[in-house]
Amino acid sequence: MTMRPRSDSHQDGVDRTFRTLPARVIGLGLVVVCVVMGVLLTRGEQERDLSVLTPIAVMALVIAVVWVVLLRPCVRLSRTGIHLSNLVTDVDVPFEHVARIGNRWALEVVDTAGRTHSSWAVPARRDYGLRRPIDSYAEATQKGRARESVHAEHVRGHVEHAVQRWQMEGGRTEEGQPARVRWAWSALGPLAATLVFLVVALLAG
C-alpha cells in the first residue's frame, strides 16, 4: 500500500493542494498565541484605562504576516495547469507552457519562455539525520515510506503525472493563456490593512 503526502486532495492529479504540515501547524499555533495574547493585553489596557487599539493592531499585523508567510502559500494542481501561491505573488502555468519541473532548492516550474517559477510552499527535502547501513531493501523501503511528506521531489512527481494525464486526455487548454505572474492581493490586502490599522492606532494612542 503506497502512502501519499498529506494534502487537501479530492482526486489523483486533479484539484490537489499541497502545503507542508509544519507550516500549517506552526502557522495555526502562532495565530492561536496571537489571539490569546491580544485578549490578555486588551484586558490589561482596559484595566489601566488605556487605549486597546495598539495591542490589537500589533496582533492583527502579526497574524497577517503568519498568513502571508506560512498559511497562504501552497501549490495547487488543476485539470489544465499548476498554480503557485507564494508570499506576495501568484503564478499560473498552464500545462501547455510547462517545459520542465525541477526540485533543486524547492519545487521549480520552468515555462516554455525559459522563466523559472519557484514555490515558497514546497521546499526541497532535507535529511539531517546520520546515515547508517540498511540491512535489507524491505527495511529501506518501509522507512522511506514512513518519512514521506510534502517536499519538492515528491510533489514534482504529482505535477509530472498531472501533465501526462492532461496530455493523454488530449492536451486541451484555453488559447492565449501563457504562464503569468501577478500580485497576490489576498496577501497584500491583509498586510496593507493591518499596517494602516497599526499606524492609526499609534497616532490615536
Side-chain angles (χ1 to χ4, degrees):
M1 176 176 164
T2 302
M3 297 178 62
R4 297 189 181 278
R6 294 176 62 96
S7 63
D8 305 327
S9 59
H10 301 287
Q11 300 178 35
D12 187 24
V14 177
D15 295 332
R16 300 197 65 147
T17 301
F18 297 91
R19 296 180 178 89
T20 61
L21 181 60
R24 286 180 288 173
V25 172
I26 295 172
L28 292 174
L30 288 174
V31 169
V32 172
V33 170
C34 286
V35 171
V36 173
M37 289 184 62
V39 171
L40 295 177
L41 289 173
T42 299
R43 289 180 177 176
E45 298 294 280
Q46 287 177 332
E47 291 175 356
R48 293 181 294 176
D49 292 328
L50 299 176
S51 173
V52 299
L53 287 180
T54 300
I56 293 176
V58 171
M59 292 303 129
L61 179 59
V62 173
I63 291 175
V65 171
V66 171
W67 162 253
V68 170
V69 175
L70 295 175
L71 297 178
R72 197 191 80 90
C74 66
V75 172
R76 188 171 69 250
L77 292 177
S78 69
R79 290 183 178 275
T80 58
I82 179 172
H83 174 84
L84 309 178
S85 294
N86 290 324
L87 294 181
V88 294
T89 59
D90 289 330
V91 183
D92 292 302
V93 185
F95 290 147
E96 180 183 5
H97 294 279
V98 173
R100 182 173 59 83
I101 307 296
N103 60 277
R104 183 178 181 184
W105 305 111
L107 180 69
E108 299 173 341
V109 181
V110 181
D111 63 27
T112 51
R115 296 178 300 176
T116 300
H117 310 284
S118 298
S119 170
W120 172 268
V122 182
R125 177 172 55 183
R126 295 288 183 265
D127 188 2
Y128 297 105
L130 295 176
R131 296 183 179 275
R132 61 178 182 174
I134 303 297
D135 295 334
S136 67
Y137 174 79
E139 181 181 358
T141 303
Q142 195 171 30
K143 289 184 177 181
R145 287 177 177 173
R147 288 197 298 266
E148 278 189 351
S149 60
V150 176
H151 54 78
E153 183 180 359
H154 198 75
V155 176
R156 173 185 177 179
H158 285 277
V159 176
E160 292 174 341
H161 174 72
V163 174
Q164 293 172 0
R165 180 171 183 165
W166 170 79
Q167 292 172 339
M168 292 176 62
E169 291 177 350
R172 294 182 297 274
T173 188
E174 297 181 9
E175 295 183 1
Q177 294 293 329
R180 60 174 181 157
V181 181
R182 64 184 188 278
W183 293 111
W185 296 110
S186 61
L188 293 173
L191 282 178
T194 51
L195 279 172
V196 171
F197 183 26
L198 179 59
V199 172
V200 170
L202 291 174
L203 294 175

